[in-house]
């Protein structure tokens, strides 16, 4: 498994971040860092299933709103040469 680096991390809140792994089959992973322990919450193939991203993130972080999800997608899309 590839370790997420700070260059491809997009933070959702203080404890949860998205790791982008463009060359992997599951190229978007959601990680949680609590009390020094890091664990993967979920992963998806963003490049081909980005239309389900809003529901995917909302299930993991129900306190997030659509504007925040849109902002996340604007940060993620350049990793896959997708329109912003």
């Amino acid at each position: 498994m590839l370790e997420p680096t700070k260059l491809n991390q997009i933070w959702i809140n203080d404890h949860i971040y998205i790791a982008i792994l463009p060359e992997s089959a599951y190229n978007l992973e959601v990680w949680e860092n609590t009390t020094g322990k890091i664990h993967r919450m979920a992963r998806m193939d963003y490049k081909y299933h980005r239309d389900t991203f809003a529901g995917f993130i909302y299930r993991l972080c129900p306190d997030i709103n659509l504007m925040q999800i849109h902002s996340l997608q604007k940060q993620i899309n350049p990793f896959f040469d997708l329109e912003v």
Side-chain angles (χ1 to χ4, degrees):
M1 177 173 66
L2 295 172
E3 289 298 318
T5 67
K6 294 198 183 297
L7 297 177
N8 61 0
Q9 291 179 356
I10 300 169
W11 287 86
I12 297 173
N13 60 32
D14 293 338
H15 305 287
I16 300 172
Y17 65 90
I18 295 171
I20 307 296
L21 307 165
E23 303 302 320
S24 299
Y26 291 101
N27 45 40
L28 184 143
E29 298 179 344
V30 181
W31 292 80
E32 184 175 30
N33 184 357
T34 54
T35 63
K37 295 182 181 180
I38 300 173
H39 76 280
R40 184 175 60 208
M41 297 172 65
R43 61 186 181 169
M44 74 177 290
D45 183 355
Y46 182 81
K47 188 172 183 177
Y48 297 106
H49 300 289
R50 65 183 177 275
D51 55 335
T52 62
F53 177 75
F56 172 79
I57 288 296
Y58 186 75
R59 277 186 227 104
L60 296 172
C61 306
D63 58 336
I64 196 168
N65 64 43
L66 285 177
M67 292 305 293
Q68 293 169 320
I69 292 172
H70 179 69
S71 176
L72 288 172
Q73 285 189 291
K74 286 171 63 175
Q75 295 174 59
I76 294 168
N77 284 349
F79 284 99
F80 302 100
D81 295 326
L82 301 172
E83 293 181 17
V84 175

